[in-house]
Coordinates of all heavy atoms in Angstrom, one line a residue:
V1064 N 0.9 -1.2 0.0 CA 0.0 0.0 0.0 C 0.9 1.2 0.0 O 2.0 1.3 0.6 CB -1.0 0.0 1.2 CG1 -2.0 -1.1 1.1 CG2 -0.2 0.0 2.5
D1065 N 0.5 2.3 -0.7 CA 1.4 3.5 -0.8 C 1.3 4.2 0.5 O 0.4 4.1 1.3 CB 1.0 4.3 -2.0 CG -0.4 5.0 -1.9 OD1 -0.7 5.6 -0.9 OD2 -1.2 4.9 -2.9
I1066 N 2.3 5.1 0.6 CA 2.5 5.7 1.9 C 1.4 6.7 2.3 O 1.0 6.8 3.5 CB 3.9 6.5 1.9 CG1 4.2 7.0 3.3 CG2 3.8 7.7 0.9 CD1 4.5 5.9 4.3
T1067 N 0.8 7.3 1.3 CA -0.4 8.2 1.6 C -1.6 7.4 2.2 O -2.1 7.9 3.2 CB -0.8 9.0 0.3 OG1 0.3 9.7 -0.2 CG2 -2.0 9.9 0.6
F1068 N -1.9 6.3 1.6 CA -3.0 5.5 2.1 C -2.6 4.9 3.5 O -3.5 4.9 4.4 CB -3.3 4.4 1.1 CG -4.4 3.4 1.7 CD1 -5.7 3.8 1.7 CD2 -4.0 2.2 2.2 CE1 -6.6 2.9 2.3 CE2 -4.9 1.3 2.7 CZ -6.3 1.7 2.7
F1069 N -1.4 4.5 3.7 CA -1.0 3.9 4.9 C -1.1 5.0 6.1 O -1.6 4.7 7.2 CB 0.4 3.4 4.9 CG 0.9 2.7 6.1 CD1 0.3 1.5 6.5 CD2 1.9 3.2 7.0 CE1 0.6 0.8 7.7 CE2 2.2 2.6 8.1 CZ 1.6 1.4 8.5
M1070 N -0.6 6.2 5.8 CA -0.8 7.2 6.8 C -2.2 7.6 7.1 O -2.6 7.8 8.3 CB 0.0 8.5 6.3 CG 1.5 8.3 6.1 SD 2.4 7.7 7.6 CE 2.4 9.2 8.5
S1071 N -3.1 7.5 6.1 CA -4.5 7.7 6.4 C -5.1 6.6 7.2 O -5.9 6.8 8.1 CB -5.3 7.8 5.1 OG -4.9 8.9 4.3
T1072 N -4.6 5.4 6.9 CA -5.0 4.2 7.7 C -4.6 4.4 9.2 O -5.4 4.1 10.1 CB -4.4 2.9 7.1 OG1 -4.8 2.8 5.8 CG2 -4.8 1.7 7.9
L1073 N -3.5 4.9 9.4 CA -3.0 5.1 10.8 C -3.9 6.1 11.5 O -4.3 6.0 12.7 CB -1.6 5.6 10.9 CG -0.5 4.5 10.5 CD1 0.9 5.2 10.5 CD2 -0.5 3.3 11.4
R1074 N -4.3 7.2 10.8 CA -5.1 8.3 11.4 C -6.5 7.8 11.8 O -7.0 8.1 12.8 CB -5.2 9.5 10.5 CG -3.9 10.3 10.4 CD -4.2 11.6 9.8 NE -4.5 11.5 8.3 CZ -3.6 11.5 7.4 NH1 -2.3 11.6 7.7 NH2 -4.0 11.4 6.1
F1075 N -7.0 6.9 10.9 CA -8.4 6.5 11.1 C -8.5 5.2 11.9 O -9.6 4.7 12.2 CB -9.1 6.3 9.8 CG -9.5 7.6 9.1 CD1 -8.7 8.2 8.1 CD2 -10.6 8.3 9.5 CE1 -9.0 9.4 7.6 CE2 -11.0 9.5 8.9 CZ -10.2 10.1 8.0
N1076 N -7.4 4.6 12.3 CA -7.4 3.3 13.0 C -6.4 3.4 14.2 O -5.3 2.9 14.1 CB -7.0 2.2 12.1 CG -8.1 1.9 11.0 OD1 -9.0 1.1 11.3 ND2 -7.9 2.5 9.9
P1077 N -6.9 4.0 15.3 CA -6.0 4.2 16.5 C -5.4 2.9 17.0 O -4.3 2.9 17.5 CB -6.9 4.9 17.5 CG -8.3 4.6 17.1 CD -8.2 4.5 15.6
N1078 N -6.1 1.8 16.9 CA -5.5 0.5 17.4 C -4.3 0.1 16.6 O -3.3 -0.4 17.1 CB -6.6 -0.6 17.4 CG -6.0 -1.9 18.0 OD1 -5.5 -1.9 19.1 ND2 -6.1 -3.0 17.3
L1079 N -4.4 0.3 15.3 CA -3.2 0.0 14.4 C -2.0 0.9 14.8 O -0.9 0.4 14.9 CB -3.6 0.2 12.9 CG -2.4 0.0 11.9 CD1 -1.9 -1.4 12.0 CD2 -2.9 0.4 10.5
T1080 N -2.3 2.2 15.0 CA -1.2 3.1 15.4 C -0.6 2.7 16.7 O 0.6 2.7 16.9 CB -1.8 4.5 15.6 OG1 -2.4 4.9 14.3 CG2 -0.7 5.5 15.9
Y1081 N -1.4 2.3 17.7 CA -1.0 1.8 19.0 C -0.1 0.5 18.8 O 1.0 0.4 19.4 CB -2.2 1.5 19.9 CG -1.8 0.9 21.2 CD1 -1.2 1.6 22.2 CD2 -2.2 -0.4 21.5 CE1 -0.8 1.0 23.4 CE2 -1.9 -1.0 22.7 CZ -1.2 -0.3 23.7 OH -0.9 -0.9 24.9
Q1082 N -0.6 -0.4 18.0 CA 0.1 -1.7 17.8 C 1.4 -1.4 17.1 O 2.5 -2.1 17.4 CB -0.7 -2.7 17.1 CG -2.0 -3.2 17.8 CD -1.6 -3.9 19.1 OE1 -0.6 -4.5 19.2 NE2 -2.5 -3.9 20.1
L1083 N 1.4 -0.5 16.2 CA 2.7 -0.2 15.4 C 3.7 0.5 16.4 O 4.9 0.2 16.3 CB 2.4 0.8 14.3 CG 3.6 1.1 13.4 CD1 4.1 -0.2 12.7 CD2 3.2 2.1 12.3
M1084 N 3.2 1.3 17.3 CA 4.1 1.9 18.3 C 4.8 0.8 19.2 O 6.0 0.8 19.4 CB 3.4 2.9 19.2 CG 4.2 3.5 20.3 SD 3.2 4.4 21.6 CE 2.5 3.0 22.4
L1085 N 4.0 -0.2 19.6 CA 4.5 -1.3 20.4 C 5.5 -2.1 19.6 O 6.6 -2.5 20.1 CB 3.4 -2.2 20.9 CG 2.4 -1.6 21.9 CD1 1.3 -2.6 22.3 CD2 3.1 -1.1 23.1
F1086 N 5.2 -2.3 18.3 CA 6.1 -3.1 17.4 C 7.4 -2.3 17.3 O 8.5 -2.9 17.4 CB 5.4 -3.3 16.1 CG 6.3 -3.9 15.1 CD1 6.5 -5.3 15.1 CD2 7.0 -3.2 14.1 CE1 7.4 -5.9 14.2 CE2 7.8 -3.8 13.2 CZ 8.0 -5.2 13.2
F1087 N 7.4 -1.0 17.1 CA 8.6 -0.2 17.0 C 9.4 -0.4 18.3 O 10.7 -0.5 18.2 CB 8.3 1.3 16.7 CG 8.2 1.7 15.3 CD1 7.1 2.1 14.7 CD2 9.4 1.6 14.5 CE1 7.0 2.5 13.4 CE2 9.4 2.0 13.2 CZ 8.2 2.5 12.6
A1088 N 8.7 -0.3 19.4 CA 9.5 -0.4 20.7 C 10.1 -1.8 20.9 O 11.3 -1.8 21.3 CB 8.5 -0.2 21.9
D1089 N 9.4 -2.8 20.5 CA 10.0 -4.2 20.6 C 11.2 -4.3 19.6 O 12.2 -4.9 20.0 CB 8.9 -5.2 20.3 CG 7.9 -5.4 21.4 OD1 8.2 -4.9 22.5 OD2 6.8 -5.9 21.1
E1090 N 11.0 -3.8 18.4 CA 12.1 -3.9 17.4 C 13.3 -3.1 17.9 O 14.5 -3.6 17.7 CB 11.6 -3.4 16.1 CG 12.5 -3.7 14.9 CD 11.9 -3.1 13.6 OE1 11.5 -2.0 13.6 OE2 12.0 -3.9 12.6
L1091 N 13.1 -2.0 18.5 CA 14.2 -1.2 19.0 C 15.0 -1.9 20.1 O 16.2 -1.9 20.1 CB 13.7 0.2 19.5 CG 14.8 1.1 20.0 CD1 15.8 1.5 19.0 CD2 14.1 2.4 20.6
Q1092 N 14.3 -2.5 21.0 CA 14.9 -3.3 22.0 C 15.8 -4.4 21.5 O 16.9 -4.6 22.0 CB 13.8 -3.9 23.0 CG 13.2 -2.8 23.9 CD 12.2 -3.5 24.8 OE1 12.2 -4.7 25.1 NE2 11.2 -2.7 25.3
V1093 N 15.3 -5.1 20.5 CA 16.0 -6.2 19.9 C 17.3 -5.7 19.2 O 18.4 -6.2 19.3 CB 15.2 -7.1 18.9 CG1 16.0 -8.1 18.2 CG2 14.1 -7.8 19.7
S1094 N 17.1 -4.6 18.5 CA 18.2 -4.0 17.8 C 19.3 -3.5 18.7 O 20.5 -3.7 18.5 CB 17.7 -2.8 16.9 OG 16.9 -3.2 15.9
E1095 N 18.9 -2.9 19.8 CA 19.9 -2.4 20.8 C 20.6 -3.6 21.5 O 21.8 -3.5 21.7 CB 19.2 -1.5 21.8 CG 18.7 -0.2 21.3 CD 18.0 0.7 22.4 OE1 17.5 0.1 23.4 OE2 18.0 1.9 22.2
Q1096 N 19.9 -4.7 21.7 CA 20.5 -5.9 22.3 C 21.5 -6.4 21.3 O 22.6 -6.8 21.7 CB 19.4 -6.9 22.6 CG 20.0 -8.2 23.3 CD 20.6 -7.9 24.7 OE1 19.8 -7.5 25.6 NE2 21.8 -8.1 24.8
K1097 N 21.1 -6.5 20.0 CA 22.1 -7.0 19.0 C 23.3 -6.2 19.0 O 24.5 -6.7 18.9 CB 21.4 -7.0 17.7 CG 20.5 -8.2 17.4 CD 20.0 -8.3 16.0 CE 21.1 -8.6 15.0 NZ 20.7 -8.7 13.6
M1098 N 23.2 -4.9 19.0 CA 24.4 -4.0 18.9 C 25.2 -4.2 20.1 O 26.5 -4.2 20.1 CB 23.9 -2.6 18.7 CG 23.3 -2.2 17.4 SD 24.3 -2.7 16.0 CE 25.8 -1.6 16.2
G1099 N 24.6 -4.3 21.3 CA 25.3 -4.5 22.5 C 26.1 -5.8 22.5 O 27.2 -5.9 22.9
N1100 N 25.4 -6.8 22.0 CA 26.1 -8.2 21.9 C 27.3 -8.1 21.0 O 28.4 -8.7 21.3 CB 25.1 -9.2 21.3 CG 24.0 -9.6 22.3 OD1 24.1 -9.2 23.5 ND2 23.0 -10.3 21.8
M1101 N 27.2 -7.3 19.9 CA 28.3 -7.2 18.9 C 29.6 -6.6 19.6 O 30.7 -6.9 19.3 CB 27.9 -6.5 17.7 CG 27.0 -7.2 16.8 SD 26.5 -6.3 15.3 CE 28.0 -6.2 14.4
L1102 N 29.3 -5.7 20.6 CA 30.4 -5.0 21.2 C 30.9 -5.8 22.4 O 32.1 -5.7 22.8 CB 29.9 -3.6 21.7 CG 29.5 -2.6 20.7 CD1 28.9 -1.4 21.3 CD2 30.7 -2.2 19.8
Q1103 N 30.1 -6.6 23.0 CA 30.5 -7.2 24.3 C 30.7 -8.8 24.3 O 31.5 -9.3 25.1 CB 29.4 -7.0 25.4 CG 29.2 -5.5 25.6 CD 28.0 -5.3 26.6 OE1 27.7 -6.1 27.5 NE2 27.3 -4.2 26.3
L1104 N 30.1 -9.4 23.3 CA 30.1 -10.9 23.3 C 30.9 -11.5 22.2 O 30.9 -11.0 21.1 CB 28.6 -11.4 23.2 CG 27.6 -11.1 24.3 CD1 26.3 -11.7 24.1 CD2 28.2 -11.5 25.7
P1105 N 31.6 -12.6 22.5 CA 32.3 -13.3 21.4 C 31.2 -14.0 20.5 O 30.0 -14.1 20.8 CB 33.1 -14.4 22.1 CG 32.5 -14.5 23.5 CD 31.8 -13.2 23.8
V1106 N 31.7 -14.4 19.3 CA 30.8 -14.9 18.3 C 29.9 -16.1 18.8 O 28.7 -16.2 18.5 CB 31.6 -15.3 17.0 CG1 30.6 -16.0 16.0 CG2 32.2 -14.1 16.4
K1107 N 30.5 -17.0 19.6 CA 29.7 -18.2 20.0 C 28.5 -17.8 20.8 O 27.4 -18.4 20.7 CB 30.6 -19.2 20.7 CG 31.1 -18.7 22.1 CD 31.9 -19.9 22.8 CE 32.3 -19.4 24.2 NZ 33.0 -20.5 24.9
N1108 N 28.7 -16.8 21.6 CA 27.6 -16.3 22.5 C 26.5 -15.6 21.6 O 25.3 -15.7 21.8 CB 28.1 -15.4 23.6 CG 29.1 -16.1 24.5 OD1 30.3 -16.1 24.1 ND2 28.7 -16.7 25.5

């Protein structure tokens, strides 16, 4: 779906906006953990 329609979908569907916010938060946590692992852990870990 194109970006204009998707943004309209977010405005008219607050539950989708809420769930997307939670998804972004979860994804950020995993990304930060991965980056921390790359700096602190050996490859096997």
Side-chain angles (χ1 to χ4, degrees):
V1064 294
D1065 68 49
I1066 192 64
T1067 301
F1068 175 74
F1069 184 68
M1070 298 303 283
S1071 295
T1072 301
L1073 291 177
R1074 284 195 294 271
F1075 285 99
N1076 292 271
N1078 184 53
L1079 175 63
T1080 305
Y1081 173 70
Q1082 294 297 332
L1083 185 62
M1084 180 193 70
L1085 294 179
F1086 176 77
F1087 267 116
D1089 290 341
E1090 189 179 49
L1091 179 60
Q1092 287 181 21
V1093 173
S1094 296
E1095 289 179 339
Q1096 182 66 62
K1097 280 188 67 178
M1098 292 305 297
N1100 288 348
M1101 290 180 67
L1102 295 173
Q1103 301 174 33
L1104 299 181
V1106 172
K1107 68 175 183 179
N1108 303 86

